[in-house]
């Protein structure tokens, strides 16, 4: 999938000169990731469409790209913005306040007043991802929980834990501060963990 | 400030701990708590397993997916034909 991609220094002039081979390389390297990000924000039904729209925006904006981030991060930010705009058009919002504000972290009733576990985590009968995913039911449960995450939480989780981007790039892509980015990721992970926990209870 | 975090604080810091994003003194206190608390060890282990499971799901999805790269390149070509290149020439 991701073959050796030339450096941004080499790629950008070629893209600006409309070099088709360079576009093919960039599309091969980044399109899958773009669809994953779009899916996290707008859902599967229109993710492909949003990714395509983002490519057109990339072509249009490339002459003005100031290179304050890598090409990859810049392209992903265009995807993120295209997806957010799409949500707004459909009167669905993607505000950071919603996402950070009302989603409780771990259920506070799990702890007593001194901060010790009141209802400790149960033992999972699994030691590896393969053990967990052997259950179709649990797999479906993780999938449902992922889809129900607030948009930005799902985007942060997708980019970090599923597509392996570093936190600094993710915060640039989603246009959130480093600390908010960490909170988004932390909450998303906790939600998935809580869903698995519930499954084993 | 107390030295050793509570279980509740451990759950709040667990994500940063696994990402190696805690400052050294917090990391040391975190580990000290883990030594003493089986439930927090379990919680952190489960969080780690959750993260690696998400990675596994993504790897499976990535392998399954084959977005039509050629179709996207065609779309881009069409758009490029209507957009002037920076060097004013077509270098295809």
């Amino acid at each position: 999938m991701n073959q050796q991609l030339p450096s941004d220094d080499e790629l950008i002039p070629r893209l600006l000169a409309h070099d088709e081979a360079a576009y093919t390389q960039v599309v091969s390297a980044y399109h899958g990731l773009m669809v994953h990000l779009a899916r996290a924000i707008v859902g599967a039904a229109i993710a492909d469409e949003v990714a395509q729209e983002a490519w057109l925006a990339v072509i249009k904006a490339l002459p003005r790209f100031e290179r304050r981030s890598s090409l990859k991060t810049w392209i992903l930010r265009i995807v993120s913005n295209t997806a957010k705009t799409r949500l707004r058009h459909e009167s669905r919002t993607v505000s950071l306040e919603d996402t950070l504000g009302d989603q409780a972290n771990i259920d506070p009733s799990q702890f007593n007043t001194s901060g010790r576990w009141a209802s400790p985590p149960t033992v999972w009968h699994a030691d590896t991802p393969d053990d967990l995913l052997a259950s179709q039911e649990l797999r479906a449960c993780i999938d449902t929980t992922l889809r129900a995450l607030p948009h930005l939480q799902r985007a942060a989780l997708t980019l970090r834990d599923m597509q392996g981007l570093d936190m600094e790039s993710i915060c640039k892509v989603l246009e959130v501060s480093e600390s908010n980015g960490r909170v988004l990721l932390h909450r998303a992970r906790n939600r998935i963990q809580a869903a698995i926990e519930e499954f084993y209870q | 400030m107390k030295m050793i975090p509570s279980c509740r604080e451990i759950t709040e810091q667990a994500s940063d701990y696994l990402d190696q994003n805690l400052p050294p003194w917090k990391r040391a206190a975190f580990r000290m708590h883990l030594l003493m608390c089986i439930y927090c060890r379990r919680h952190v282990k489960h969080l780690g397993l959750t993260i690696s499971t998400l990675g596994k799901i993504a790897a499976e999805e990535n392998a399954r997916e084959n977005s039509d790269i050629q179709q996207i390149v065609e779309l881009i070509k069409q758009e490029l034909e209507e957009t002037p290149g920076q060097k004013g020439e077509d270098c295809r």
Side-chain angles (χ1 to χ4, degrees):
Chain A
M1 243 181 66
N2 280 16
Q3 294 116 345
Q4 278 291 319
L5 195 65
S7 69
D8 285 2
D9 285 337
E10 190 188 319
L11 269 176
I12 292 167
R14 287 172 58 197
L15 294 174
L16 283 167
H18 293 183
D19 178 343
E20 193 184 318
Y23 270 101
T24 305
Q25 283 179 300
V26 176
V27 171
S28 307
Y30 300 147
H31 186 71
L33 189 53
M34 292 165 70
V35 173
H36 281 292
L37 174 59
R39 196 177 293 158
I41 301 176
V42 293
I46 55 170
D48 284 299
E49 220 177 292
V50 165
Q52 285 187 18
E53 210 179 301
W55 277 116
L56 304 185
V58 164
I59 294 170
K60 231 168 139 187
L62 192 63
R64 298 190 306 278
F65 176 36
E66 291 173 359
R67 311 211 35 196
R68 282 189 294 220
S69 63
S70 66
L71 180 66
K72 178 182 181 181
T73 302
W74 179 75
I75 291 177
L76 290 175
R77 188 160 69 214
I78 291 180
V79 176
S80 166
N81 285 330
T82 307
K84 288 178 191 169
T85 306
R86 191 62 180 257
L87 279 188
R88 271 193 293 274
H89 284 171
E90 293 177 10
S91 312
R92 293 189 280 158
T93 55
V94 58
S95 94
L96 186 63
E97 288 69 32
D98 289 351
T99 305
L100 289 177
D102 61 7
Q103 305 300 331
N105 196 357
I106 289 180
D107 181 2
S109 69
Q110 280 190 286
F111 302 96
N112 63 25
T113 47
S114 60
R116 283 169 175 262
W117 289 101
S119 56
T122 47
V123 175
W124 294 0
H125 303 289
D127 282 319
T128 65
D130 285 327
D131 294 342
L132 280 177
L133 295 173
S135 158
Q136 285 303 324
E137 211 183 322
L138 180 54
R139 196 182 269 266
C141 163
I142 294 173
D143 193 49
T144 310
T145 313
L146 262 174
R147 282 193 236 186
L149 287 175
H151 310 295
L152 289 181
Q153 281 188 25
R154 185 174 169 196
L157 189 75
T158 299
L159 293 177
R160 182 80 190 95
D161 291 338
M162 307 186 77
Q163 302 297 329
L165 259 73
D166 62 86
M167 234 18 234
E168 193 189 336
S169 307
I170 293 170
C171 295
K172 280 186 182 160
V173 168
L174 300 178
E175 295 179 312
V176 297
S177 68
E178 171 94 21
S179 60
N180 281 344
R182 293 220 153 267
V183 173
L184 288 173
L185 178 66
H186 180 52
R187 299 216 169 146
R189 285 171 169 175
N190 279 158
R191 286 262 201 126
I192 306 291
Q193 184 177 358
I196 302 173
E197 179 78 25
E198 210 169 296
F199 180 85
Y200 280 113
Q201 270 170 3
Chain B
M1 190 184 291
K2 60 184 168 40
M3 285 299 289
I4 308 289
S6 68
C7 299
R8 185 176 183 160
E9 285 163 334
I10 288 292
T11 62
E12 285 159 5
Q13 296 170 13
S15 198
D16 279 338
Y17 172 77
L18 291 177
D19 286 345
Q20 313 249 342
N21 197 48
L22 288 181
W25 64 272
K26 262 194 172 179
R27 185 170 180 84
F30 190 101
R31 294 179 72 102
M32 192 68 84
H33 181 114
L34 287 194
L35 281 176
M36 302 180 305
C37 179
I38 184 179
Y39 295 140
C40 283
R41 282 205 295 280
R42 190 181 289 165
H43 175 83
V44 173
K45 180 183 164 202
H46 287 175
L47 181 59
L49 187 52
T50 301
I51 294 168
S52 47
T53 300
L54 288 166
K56 171 90 184 173
I57 292 173
E60 289 177 5
E61 276 177 4
N62 287 346
R64 234 185 357 252
E65 256 164 44
N66 51 347
S67 304
D68 192 350
I69 299 299
Q70 206 45 48
Q71 187 197 331
I72 303 294
V73 173
E74 286 304 317
L75 175 88
I76 289 174
K77 262 168 73 181
Q78 278 174 23
E79 186 69 13
L80 290 177
E81 278 164 17
E82 294 161 20
T83 315
Q86 195 173 67
K87 290 182 182 158
E89 62 183 38
D90 201 330
C91 61
R92 270 172 293 164

